[in-house]
Amino acid sequence: MKIHKEGRRILFVTLLVLLALNLLLSRYNGPNVAFNRIFAGVSVVVFLALLQFFRSPFRRLLTHEDLLLAPADGKVVVIEEVYEPEFFEDARRQISVFMSPINVHITRNPVSGIVKYFKYHPGQYLVAWHPKSSTQNERTTVVVESDAGPLVLFRQIAGAMARRIVWYVNEGDEVSQGEEFGFIKFGSRVDIFVPLDAEIKVELGQKVKGGETVLCQLKG
């Protein structure tokens, strides 16, 4: 397992701060041994929590042009027909994956193809499962013309804890299924919008893995 590049600086700074605080307590709060030990234990827990959040585990990626893969680790919280107003302006099937703070927060391309549209939206930080988070929270929207033919829209959405969305794609880029297209720090969700005739392969409440779990099959 590797540490993702988005976490290396945060982990380094956190380690320095925690070490400095523990050294200061050891020097100036020596008589209070019990407190110093508790603080040291909490420091270890905090650092390990950050370490697991920014982990980048090896994935055996499944690739096929007509299969749409989960863009992130998490749980399927929405499967429904909706009106998509930003790009398609018509009815689509929405699949949403919620990422808790213990999930890997790397976001991956669900399909291979060409990026036809990209836009970053600043916004609020409602909890990620809030119905309005898809249109009011900080988010990015990516539309890819898949190798199978259909256009697929996917959206990174910041949650209540998330305060930064990172993306690695722009309009005109050629993207490969399963490769990273971004990272969301500290809690979030990803919405995917596919044609109504796509065959859904997951169920509500199902846990999925980015780059491995098949969400649906596209009709070419």
Side-chain angles (χ1 to χ4, degrees), residues 31-42:
N32 199 342
V33 176
F35 177 85
N36 292 353
R37 287 179 177 173
I38 292 172
F39 189 86
V42 171

Side-chain angles (χ1 to χ4, degrees), residues 2 6 34-35 48 65 72 100 113 136 156 167-168 175 194 216:
K2 300 186 299 181
E6 298 297 339
F35 177 85
L48 290 178
E65 67 177 23
S100 75
Q136 294 187 11
Q156 295 172 298
W167 62 89
Y168 313 133
V175 296
V194 296
C216 69

Side-chain angles (χ1 to χ4, degrees), residues 183-199:
F183 196 97
I184 317 178
K185 298 182 179 181
F186 303 112
S188 43
R189 98 182 201 200
V190 180
D191 290 347
I192 308 98
F193 296 84
V194 296
L196 296 179
D197 63 356
E199 183 180 350

Side-chain angles (χ1 to χ4, degrees), residues 49-123:
L50 281 175
L51 196 64
Q52 69 85 31
F53 181 86
F54 286 107
R55 69 194 186 280
S56 179
F58 171 77
R59 288 289 159 84
R60 196 177 302 277
L61 302 177
L62 167 71
T63 59
H64 198 287
E65 67 177 23
D66 68 342
L67 298 180
L68 186 144
L69 304 182
D73 290 16
K75 183 170 70 173
V76 178
V77 293
V78 173
I79 302 176
E80 62 183 9
E81 182 178 331
V82 299
Y83 177 79
E84 199 294 304
E86 180 180 350
F87 181 83
F88 293 117
E89 297 182 334
D90 64 10
R92 296 281 149 165
R93 189 82 63 195
Q94 176 182 339
I95 308 171
S96 296
V97 176
F98 171 73
M99 293 174 278
S100 75
I102 64 172
N103 288 128
V104 175
H105 277 59
I106 297 167
T107 48
R108 301 178 182 275
N109 297 304
V111 292
S112 296
I114 304 296
V115 178
K116 294 296 184 179
Y117 174 84
F118 174 86
K119 188 170 184 179
Y120 167 75
H121 304 266

